[in-house]
Amino acid sequence: MQHSQAALQPTPLLDRKIDRLTVKTFADREAMGAAAAADIAEALRERLASQENVRVIFASAPSQTSMVEQLRAMPGIDWSRVTAFHMDEFIGLAPDAPQRFAHWLNRHIFDALPLAAAHRIDPGADPEKEAQRYTALLNEAPIDFVCLGIGVNGHIAFNDPPIADFEDPLDVKLVELDAVCRQQQYNDGGFESLDAVPRTALSLTIPRLLRADRLFCIVPGAHKRDAVHGALHGPLTTDCPASILREHGNCTLYLDKEADPDA
C-alpha cells in the first residue's frame, strides 16, 4: 500500500541546494517538523520495502521533539523491523538522572514504538569499554538513516569545535564538552545550574555519522541562526563542525524561519 504524504506536507518558504546539501525552510517549528517527519517516514517505507531491517540513529534534544512526535503518528511503517541507536550521552550522571539522553529517547521513541531493538549508550563506570561495545553494535550492519540536529556552537552529536575531527579514526569516543555546549544544555532547561552540566560525554564521531546512507537534520530556533549561517556559508572547518554536512550528498537540512539566516 502506498502512503503518499504529499498533500499533508507543508510547502517550504525556501528550498535550495548549498553545495551538496538540500536546505528547506518552513514558516514555523511545527511545519518544519511535519515536513521532516513525512520525508523520514517515506524513506523508512521505501527502505523497508527493499530490505528486511532498517537501522536509524536518533538525536535527543528539544529541537527534535516536533519531528519525532509527528513521525510516531505516520502510517505504514513496520517499526518491528527498525533498529534504533542513540547518538551521544553524558558521562557521570546517575542511571535514573532525568537529564540522560537515553531517558528522552525512551519517552519519545524507544518505549513509544514497537521497535526491533533500541540500543542505548550507557557509559557506566568504564566509558572507554562502552565506546568499544557501542562501536561493535553500530558496525554489525550499515546505518541507513541519521536524524540529527546542530548545536549553537555548530556541533553535530557532541563533536564540539575544539575536538571535532572530520577524519576521526574512531566511531564512538569520550569527548570533553566546550563552554558553549554546556551553556546550551543548561539553557535547554534540564539542569538546575551550569555547574551541574557534565563536562564529558560519549559521542558518535563525525565520520561515523557521515557513513550513514541518508541524513535528516532538523534545526529550529533563532538561537541556532549563527550556527546555521556557519554551516551553510562559512568554510568547511571544524570551527563549525556542521559545515561538513555540505559534503555528504544525501543530507536534507530542515529549518524554521527563525533559524534560517537567509529567510
PDB file of all heavy atoms in Angstrom, residues 16 22 66 97 122 130 132-133 136 139 143 146 171 179 184 194 199 210 223 242 255 262:
ATOM      1  N   ARG A  16      16.417  25.038  -1.463  1.00  0.00           N
ATOM      2  CA  ARG A  16      17.595  25.263  -2.305  1.00  0.00           C
ATOM      3  C   ARG A  16      18.687  24.252  -1.995  1.00  0.00           C
ATOM      4  O   ARG A  16      18.602  23.509  -1.025  1.00  0.00           O
ATOM      5  CB  ARG A  16      18.129  26.673  -2.135  1.00  0.00           C
ATOM      6  CG  ARG A  16      18.796  27.001  -0.787  1.00  0.00           C
ATOM      7  CD  ARG A  16      17.828  27.472   0.245  1.00  0.00           C
ATOM      8  NE  ARG A  16      18.488  28.190   1.339  1.00  0.00           N
ATOM      9  CZ  ARG A  16      17.961  28.311   2.549  1.00  0.00           C
ATOM     10  NH1 ARG A  16      16.806  27.737   2.843  1.00  0.00           N
ATOM     11  NH2 ARG A  16      18.594  29.016   3.483  1.00  0.00           N
ATOM     12  N   THR A  22      20.810  19.759   0.653  1.00  0.00           N
ATOM     13  CA  THR A  22      19.466  20.274   0.403  1.00  0.00           C
ATOM     14  C   THR A  22      18.991  21.015   1.646  1.00  0.00           C
ATOM     15  O   THR A  22      19.074  20.482   2.762  1.00  0.00           O
ATOM     16  CB  THR A  22      18.495  19.128   0.079  1.00  0.00           C
ATOM     17  OG1 THR A  22      18.936  18.462  -1.109  1.00  0.00           O
ATOM     18  CG2 THR A  22      17.083  19.644  -0.135  1.00  0.00           C
ATOM     19  N   SER A  66       9.256  18.121  17.779  1.00  0.00           N
ATOM     20  CA  SER A  66       8.152  18.258  16.830  1.00  0.00           C
ATOM     21  C   SER A  66       8.224  17.180  15.756  1.00  0.00           C
ATOM     22  O   SER A  66       7.212  16.554  15.414  1.00  0.00           O
ATOM     23  CB  SER A  66       8.177  19.646  16.192  1.00  0.00           C
ATOM     24  OG  SER A  66       7.191  19.752  15.190  1.00  0.00           O
ATOM     25  N   ALA A  97      19.028   9.560  36.355  1.00  0.00           N
ATOM     26  CA  ALA A  97      19.014  11.016  36.201  1.00  0.00           C
ATOM     27  C   ALA A  97      18.151  11.408  35.006  1.00  0.00           C
ATOM     28  O   ALA A  97      18.346  10.895  33.901  1.00  0.00           O
ATOM     29  CB  ALA A  97      20.428  11.545  36.021  1.00  0.00           C
ATOM     30  N   ASP A 122      25.350   3.520  27.510  1.00  0.00           N
ATOM     31  CA  ASP A 122      25.372   3.552  28.973  1.00  0.00           C
ATOM     32  C   ASP A 122      26.828   3.629  29.435  1.00  0.00           C
ATOM     33  O   ASP A 122      27.492   2.603  29.566  1.00  0.00           O
ATOM     34  CB  ASP A 122      24.694   2.314  29.553  1.00  0.00           C
ATOM     35  CG  ASP A 122      24.624   2.339  31.068  1.00  0.00           C
ATOM     36  OD1 ASP A 122      25.010   3.367  31.667  1.00  0.00           O
ATOM     37  OD2 ASP A 122      24.205   1.323  31.655  1.00  0.00           O
ATOM     38  N   GLU A 130      32.542   0.991  27.078  1.00  0.00           N
ATOM     39  CA  GLU A 130      31.236   1.198  26.467  1.00  0.00           C
ATOM     40  C   GLU A 130      31.383   1.711  25.034  1.00  0.00           C
ATOM     41  O   GLU A 130      30.611   1.318  24.146  1.00  0.00           O
ATOM     42  CB  GLU A 130      30.401   2.167  27.298  1.00  0.00           C
ATOM     43  CG  GLU A 130      29.056   2.553  26.689  1.00  0.00           C
ATOM     44  CD  GLU A 130      28.065   1.411  26.572  1.00  0.00           C
ATOM     45  OE1 GLU A 130      28.415   0.248  26.906  1.00  0.00           O
ATOM     46  OE2 GLU A 130      26.920   1.659  26.142  1.00  0.00           O
ATOM     47  N   GLN A 132      33.707   0.958  22.965  1.00  0.00           N
ATOM     48  CA  GLN A 132      34.044  -0.211  22.146  1.00  0.00           C
ATOM     49  C   GLN A 132      32.809  -1.091  21.908  1.00  0.00           C
ATOM     50  O   GLN A 132      32.591  -1.584  20.804  1.00  0.00           O
ATOM     51  CB  GLN A 132      35.155  -1.018  22.818  1.00  0.00           C
ATOM     52  CG  GLN A 132      36.469  -0.265  22.916  1.00  0.00           C
ATOM     53  CD  GLN A 132      37.492  -0.982  23.780  1.00  0.00           C
ATOM     54  OE1 GLN A 132      37.347  -2.152  24.112  1.00  0.00           O
ATOM     55  NE2 GLN A 132      38.544  -0.260  24.163  1.00  0.00           N
ATOM     56  N   ARG A 133      32.008  -1.281  22.960  1.00  0.00           N
ATOM     57  CA  ARG A 133      30.797  -2.095  22.810  1.00  0.00           C
ATOM     58  C   ARG A 133      29.836  -1.477  21.810  1.00  0.00           C
ATOM     59  O   ARG A 133      29.282  -2.151  20.941  1.00  0.00           O
ATOM     60  CB  ARG A 133      30.092  -2.236  24.171  1.00  0.00           C
ATOM     61  CG  ARG A 133      28.841  -3.125  24.136  1.00  0.00           C
ATOM     62  CD  ARG A 133      28.034  -3.023  25.426  1.00  0.00           C
ATOM     63  NE  ARG A 133      27.275  -1.785  25.489  1.00  0.00           N
ATOM     64  CZ  ARG A 133      26.031  -1.635  24.993  1.00  0.00           C
ATOM     65  NH1 ARG A 133      25.426  -2.635  24.367  1.00  0.00           N
ATOM     66  NH2 ARG A 133      25.400  -0.470  25.121  1.00  0.00           N
ATOM     67  N   ALA A 136      30.929  -1.726  18.183  1.00  0.00           N
ATOM     68  CA  ALA A 136      30.658  -3.054  17.617  1.00  0.00           C
ATOM     69  C   ALA A 136      29.192  -3.188  17.206  1.00  0.00           C
ATOM     70  O   ALA A 136      28.884  -3.749  16.138  1.00  0.00           O
ATOM     71  CB  ALA A 136      31.034  -4.133  18.628  1.00  0.00           C
ATOM     72  N   ASN A 139      28.560  -1.330  13.991  1.00  0.00           N
ATOM     73  CA  ASN A 139      29.229  -1.908  12.833  1.00  0.00           C
ATOM     74  C   ASN A 139      28.712  -3.291  12.454  1.00  0.00           C
ATOM     75  O   ASN A 139      29.246  -3.912  11.530  1.00  0.00           O
ATOM     76  CB  ASN A 139      30.734  -1.959  13.077  1.00  0.00           C
ATOM     77  CG  ASN A 139      31.358  -0.577  13.062  1.00  0.00           C
ATOM     78  OD1 ASN A 139      30.838   0.334  12.428  1.00  0.00           O
ATOM     79  ND2 ASN A 139      32.466  -0.407  13.763  1.00  0.00           N
ATOM     80  N   ILE A 143      24.388   1.613   8.634  1.00  0.00           N
ATOM     81  CA  ILE A 143      23.372   2.517   9.164  1.00  0.00           C
ATOM     82  C   ILE A 143      22.651   3.160   7.982  1.00  0.00           C
ATOM     83  O   ILE A 143      23.279   3.736   7.093  1.00  0.00           O
ATOM     84  CB  ILE A 143      23.994   3.603  10.056  1.00  0.00           C
ATOM     85  CG1 ILE A 143      24.677   2.966  11.279  1.00  0.00           C
ATOM     86  CG2 ILE A 143      22.937   4.619  10.486  1.00  0.00           C
ATOM     87  CD1 ILE A 143      23.745   2.249  12.232  1.00  0.00           C
ATOM     88  N   VAL A 146      20.261   8.803   9.671  1.00  0.00           N
ATOM     89  CA  VAL A 146      20.562   9.536  10.897  1.00  0.00           C
ATOM     90  C   VAL A 146      19.620  10.726  10.980  1.00  0.00           C
ATOM     91  O   VAL A 146      19.472  11.487  10.012  1.00  0.00           O
ATOM     92  CB  VAL A 146      22.025  10.032  10.928  1.00  0.00           C
ATOM     93  CG1 VAL A 146      22.271  10.884  12.170  1.00  0.00           C
ATOM     94  CG2 VAL A 146      22.998   8.871  10.893  1.00  0.00           C
ATOM     95  N   ASP A 171      34.846   5.537  15.961  1.00  0.00           N
ATOM     96  CA  ASP A 171      33.411   5.653  15.708  1.00  0.00           C
ATOM     97  C   ASP A 171      32.665   6.238  16.894  1.00  0.00           C
ATOM     98  O   ASP A 171      31.680   6.962  16.733  1.00  0.00           O
ATOM     99  CB  ASP A 171      32.814   4.280  15.373  1.00  0.00           C
ATOM    100  CG  ASP A 171      33.165   3.825  13.975  1.00  0.00           C
ATOM    101  OD1 ASP A 171      33.797   4.594  13.233  1.00  0.00           O
ATOM    102  OD2 ASP A 171      32.811   2.680  13.627  1.00  0.00           O
ATOM    103  N   ALA A 179      32.522  25.129  26.550  1.00  0.00           N
ATOM    104  CA  ALA A 179      31.699  26.001  27.392  1.00  0.00           C
ATOM    105  C   ALA A 179      30.381  26.370  26.715  1.00  0.00           C
ATOM    106  O   ALA A 179      29.335  26.452  27.381  1.00  0.00           O
ATOM    107  CB  ALA A 179      32.485  27.258  27.745  1.00  0.00           C
ATOM    108  N   GLN A 184      24.469  25.659  26.455  1.00  0.00           N
ATOM    109  CA  GLN A 184      23.251  25.280  25.741  1.00  0.00           C
ATOM    110  C   GLN A 184      22.478  24.216  26.511  1.00  0.00           C
ATOM    111  O   GLN A 184      21.235  24.273  26.593  1.00  0.00           O
ATOM    112  CB  GLN A 184      23.584  24.755  24.346  1.00  0.00           C
ATOM    113  CG  GLN A 184      22.335  24.338  23.561  1.00  0.00           C
ATOM    114  CD  GLN A 184      22.654  23.694  22.223  1.00  0.00           C
ATOM    115  OE1 GLN A 184      23.748  23.834  21.694  1.00  0.00           O
ATOM    116  NE2 GLN A 184      21.687  22.963  21.680  1.00  0.00           N
ATOM    117  N   LEU A 194      24.597  25.671  35.771  1.00  0.00           N
ATOM    118  CA  LEU A 194      25.625  25.373  34.770  1.00  0.00           C
ATOM    119  C   LEU A 194      26.641  24.383  35.323  1.00  0.00           C
ATOM    120  O   LEU A 194      27.120  23.495  34.605  1.00  0.00           O
ATOM    121  CB  LEU A 194      26.313  26.666  34.335  1.00  0.00           C
ATOM    122  CG  LEU A 194      27.366  26.550  33.230  1.00  0.00           C
ATOM    123  CD1 LEU A 194      26.781  25.943  31.968  1.00  0.00           C
ATOM    124  CD2 LEU A 194      27.961  27.927  32.942  1.00  0.00           C
ATOM    125  N   ARG A 199      30.872  17.554  32.216  1.00  0.00           N
ATOM    126  CA  ARG A 199      31.939  18.087  31.374  1.00  0.00           C
ATOM    127  C   ARG A 199      32.409  17.094  30.316  1.00  0.00           C
ATOM    128  O   ARG A 199      33.183  17.473  29.421  1.00  0.00           O
ATOM    129  CB  ARG A 199      33.120  18.529  32.250  1.00  0.00           C
ATOM    130  CG  ARG A 199      32.741  19.667  33.185  1.00  0.00           C
ATOM    131  CD  ARG A 199      33.881  20.097  34.086  1.00  0.00           C
ATOM    132  NE  ARG A 199      33.451  21.174  34.979  1.00  0.00           N
ATOM    133  CZ  ARG A 199      33.483  22.465  34.661  1.00  0.00           C
ATOM    134  NH1 ARG A 199      33.931  22.829  33.475  1.00  0.00           N
ATOM    135  NH2 ARG A 199      33.068  23.375  35.510  1.00  0.00           N
ATOM    136  N   LEU A 210      28.565  10.381   9.154  1.00  0.00           N
ATOM    137  CA  LEU A 210      28.537  10.618   7.715  1.00  0.00           C
ATOM    138  C   LEU A 210      28.556   9.329   6.900  1.00  0.00           C
ATOM    139  O   LEU A 210      28.252   9.364   5.698  1.00  0.00           O
ATOM    140  CB  LEU A 210      29.718  11.501   7.306  1.00  0.00           C
ATOM    141  CG  LEU A 210      29.749  12.916   7.886  1.00  0.00           C
ATOM    142  CD1 LEU A 210      30.917  13.700   7.309  1.00  0.00           C
ATOM    143  CD2 LEU A 210      28.438  13.654   7.638  1.00  0.00           C
ATOM    144  N   HIS A 223      18.118  30.938  18.176  1.00  0.00           N
ATOM    145  CA  HIS A 223      19.403  30.737  18.846  1.00  0.00           C
ATOM    146  C   HIS A 223      20.352  29.871  18.028  1.00  0.00           C
ATOM    147  O   HIS A 223      21.546  29.797  18.334  1.00  0.00           O
ATOM    148  CB  HIS A 223      19.185  30.128  20.233  1.00  0.00           C
ATOM    149  CG  HIS A 223      18.554  28.775  20.230  1.00  0.00           C
ATOM    150  ND1 HIS A 223      17.343  28.503  19.629  1.00  0.00           N
ATOM    151  CD2 HIS A 223      18.967  27.589  20.764  1.00  0.00           C
ATOM    152  CE1 HIS A 223      17.038  27.230  19.793  1.00  0.00           C
ATOM    153  NE2 HIS A 223      18.005  26.658  20.458  1.00  0.00           N
ATOM    154  N   ALA A 242      29.229  21.399  11.728  1.00  0.00           N
ATOM    155  CA  ALA A 242      28.100  21.107  10.842  1.00  0.00           C
ATOM    156  C   ALA A 242      28.360  21.510   9.398  1.00  0.00           C
ATOM    157  O   ALA A 242      27.620  21.090   8.497  1.00  0.00           O
ATOM    158  CB  ALA A 242      26.838  21.803  11.353  1.00  0.00           C
ATOM    159  N   LEU A 255      14.808  23.691   8.401  1.00  0.00           N
ATOM    160  CA  LEU A 255      14.879  24.858   9.264  1.00  0.00           C
ATOM    161  C   LEU A 255      13.509  25.477   9.450  1.00  0.00           C
ATOM    162  O   LEU A 255      12.644  25.365   8.551  1.00  0.00           O
ATOM    163  CB  LEU A 255      15.792  25.923   8.640  1.00  0.00           C
ATOM    164  CG  LEU A 255      17.213  25.526   8.273  1.00  0.00           C
ATOM    165  CD1 LEU A 255      17.876  26.635   7.468  1.00  0.00           C
ATOM    166  CD2 LEU A 255      18.023  25.214   9.526  1.00  0.00           C
ATOM    167  N   ASP A 262      19.057  33.252   5.987  1.00  0.00           N
ATOM    168  CA  ASP A 262      18.711  33.769   4.662  1.00  0.00           C
ATOM    169  C   ASP A 262      17.231  34.077   4.512  1.00  0.00           C
ATOM    170  O   ASP A 262      16.808  34.561   3.452  1.00  0.00           O
ATOM    171  CB  ASP A 262      19.120  32.759   3.586  1.00  0.00           C
ATOM    172  CG  ASP A 262      20.588  32.384   3.682  1.00  0.00           C
ATOM    173  OD1 ASP A 262      21.396  33.268   4.021  1.00  0.00           O
ATOM    174  OD2 ASP A 262      20.929  31.213   3.424  1.00  0.00           O
TER     175      ASP A 262
END
